[in-house]
Structures are given as structure tokens and as C-alpha cells.
Amino acid sequence: GCFNSLKCGIVLCDRLSTVSPTYAFELRHAYFAHGLSRIISENSYKMKGILNGIGDNVNPKDDGFIYKKYWAGRYKTKCDNKAMLQRELGLIENPDIPVFAVISRLVDHKGIPLIERVGENIPLEGAQLVVIGTGEKRFEDYFRWLQDKYPGMVSSNITFSNELASKVYAGADFFLMPSKSEPCGLSQMIAMKYGTIPIVRETGGLFDTVPPYNEMTGEGRGFTFKVYNAHDMLDAIMRAIEFYGKKEPLKALSKKIMLEDFSW
């Protein structure tokens, strides 16, 4: 019996927009629409999803926070940033160890329960995990515990820091974003501008901005999984770890995603 002004807007507007084409489709389903799926479906003829964008100044060539500035094709300098990140965060300094990054609010819909379920597998498989974020105490405590159990392989930074985030975007090899829902998402675009390969769930704007990488053709931008399931996510992580050992394709993909246009 409550008055819903958003419903009124949807019914009365001439055009209806949201922040990605896939999210515009998902909103027709009750799982995503918070009670408005029927109204959105009835008005879908006037709906258009338009991707968000990021500013042209979001790149490692102009970032004053990172250790060494670089641009597409300067993979060695990106590796220098990785070494200095490992050193600063107390991780084992080894170029052969892939670094996975999570920069996120530590809440349920960002897919953090999936990481909570299988997070130990990352250091056990010989990869490092760097986390930046704040959120639910349960998740904050989990990442603190994970760092304590795997020193040198996990760095949990329960804080918000633009400077550290820039350093992690520049120094990580892979960016993990397993959202339960994601209308658009900017973090995966920022990661790609820094040459950091995204690992995402195929939902909302993540599906639109990160087509799955095909090693045979070189098409795609990252590693993806569809079902909201921890072991499906782990499979994508394992594929990324295997890919990390293939240095020339790795450098080519890093360069390619840096050259993509995500400007608004």
C-alpha cells in the first residue's frame, strides 16, 4: 500500500535508462528488480541500457600515486610496480607468483561470500591475494584471519585508500570481481586501463565490459564464470593461474585491455 515514486517515474517517463544493456534486461526479472520487475517488463519497450564510463585521466600514465608510471606496451614497468607492491605489503617478492586483487566494499552482493568459501585455495595454489575494502564485520574478520594464516601470500587492508588502490591496480596481475549483481561496475574498467586482467561473473555491466578471453583467437578481455557459485569462480581463478605461466599471451592481453576505450 505504499506510494512508490520510482514506479511512477517508470510508468510516466518517455524514455527509461540504466547503466548497462545487460542490467536493463536483468531488471525484467524478480531476482534483480526488488519488486518492480512486472512494471519494468511492461515498460521495457522504452528502456535502454547505456554503459557507464571512466575519465580519460584514469590511467597509469597520469597516476601520481603509483610507484612508476607506465602505458600500454611497457609491461616491464608494470612488473616493477608489482615488485614494489609486494615489498610494501610484506608479500613474498617473486615475479613468478601471480597477484590477485580485490578492491571492493566487503558486502554480500559484491560476491564476497564466494571468496570466503574458497579464498584459501588462492595461496594454496601458489598465488597471492591483496584485499582493500571495508564492510561487514564477518568479511573483514575473515580477510584478517586469512592474512594471519598465510603471511607473505595474503595482504588484507581493511581500509579505504585511493593511494593504495592505485598501487594495487598497477601492481596486480588479476582483478577479482565476483559480484552477485552489478548494474555496471567501474572497478573492472579501471583495472583494465592499468593492464590488470579482470576475473568477473557474467552479470550486468561485467558481462558487457569483460567478454571471456579466447586463447585460440586472442579475443576477449578476461576470465569469466556464469553461475553464482564459489567453485565456478575458483575454476576461473585456476584458468588465470595457468594463463599466467604463458608470458607472451599474458603481455599481449595486458596491452590489449589497456588500449580499450572506456571513456564516457
Side-chain angles (χ1 to χ4, degrees), residues 141-162:
D141 290 346
Y142 168 76
F143 286 118
R144 290 189 181 103
W145 169 82
L146 197 64
Q147 176 179 295
D148 289 343
K149 186 169 184 181
Y150 298 97
M153 295 298 286
V154 177
S155 173
S156 298
N157 306 274
I158 309 304
T159 184
F160 179 82
S161 166
N162 285 325

Side-chain angles (χ1 to χ4, degrees), residues 2 10 23 34 50 62 70 85 105 108 123-124 129 131 134 145 159 184 192-193 202 232 246-248:
C2 296
I10 292 169
Y23 190 59
H34 298 276
I50 303 172
D62 299 316
Y70 63 98
L85 178 71
R105 285 182 293 115
D108 185 82
L124 289 174
L129 177 65
V131 178
T134 60
W145 169 82
T159 184
C184 181
M192 286 188 277
K193 294 305 291 185
E202 296 177 9
D232 283 29
K246 303 172 182 179
K247 295 305 180 184
E248 291 308 313

Side-chain angles (χ1 to χ4, degrees), residues 37 72 74 83 111 130 133 144 184 200 208 227 237-238 246 251:
S37 56
R74 296 292 296 270
V130 177
R144 290 189 181 103
C184 181
V200 303
D208 294 320
V227 179
I237 291 171
M238 295 301 296
K246 303 172 182 179
K251 289 191 283 187

Side-chain angles (χ1 to χ4, degrees), residues 11-192:
V11 171
L12 296 173
C13 69
D14 298 303
R15 292 289 184 270
L16 180 60
S17 178
T18 189
V19 291
S20 72
T22 296
Y23 190 59
F25 176 79
E26 288 173 339
L27 282 172
R28 304 178 193 184
H29 300 87
Y31 182 82
F32 296 95
H34 298 276
L36 288 172
S37 56
R38 182 177 64 82
I39 296 300
I40 291 172
S41 294
E42 290 173 357
N43 289 272
S44 61
Y45 67 93
K46 59 186 178 183
M47 190 169 192
K48 180 78 171 179
I50 303 172
L51 273 173
N52 279 338
I54 56 177
D56 289 330
N57 62 324
V58 180
N59 65 74
K61 187 178 180 180
D62 299 316
D63 192 335
F65 287 141
I66 66 177
Y67 306 102
K68 289 185 179 181
K69 297 181 181 182
Y70 63 98
W71 50 91
R74 296 292 296 270
Y75 191 75
K76 183 182 183 304
T77 312
K78 178 171 173 60
C79 293
D80 292 340
N81 277 276
K82 173 179 173 175
M84 287 182 274
L85 178 71
Q86 289 174 319
R87 191 177 309 149
E88 178 175 334
L89 297 182
L91 297 172
I92 297 169
E93 193 175 330
N94 184 339
D96 294 326
I97 298 177
V99 174
F100 290 78
V102 175
I103 301 174
S104 174
R105 285 182 293 115
L106 305 181
V107 294
D108 185 82
H109 84 269
K110 290 293 185 181
I112 306 303
L114 302 187
I115 304 174
E116 182 185 40
R117 179 69 178 83
V118 298
E120 283 191 84
N121 291 78
I122 295 175
L124 289 174
E125 291 294 339
Q128 293 173 341
L129 177 65
V130 177
V131 178
I132 304 175
T134 60
E136 295 179 28
K137 184 177 186 300
R138 158 193 163 190
F139 299 134
E140 293 182 353
D141 290 346
Y142 168 76
F143 286 118
R144 290 189 181 103
W145 169 82
L146 197 64
Q147 176 179 295
D148 289 343
K149 186 169 184 181
Y150 298 97
M153 295 298 286
V154 177
S155 173
S156 298
N157 306 274
I158 309 304
T159 184
F160 179 82
S161 166
N162 285 325
E163 179 177 351
L164 183 57
S166 285
K167 291 178 177 178
V168 172
Y169 279 124
D173 299 297
F174 299 99
F175 187 82
L176 183 58
M177 196 169 176
S179 303
K180 181 184 287 186
S181 66
E182 195 67 59
C184 181
L186 300 179
S187 297
Q188 80 280 11
M189 298 184 202
I190 298 170
M192 286 188 277

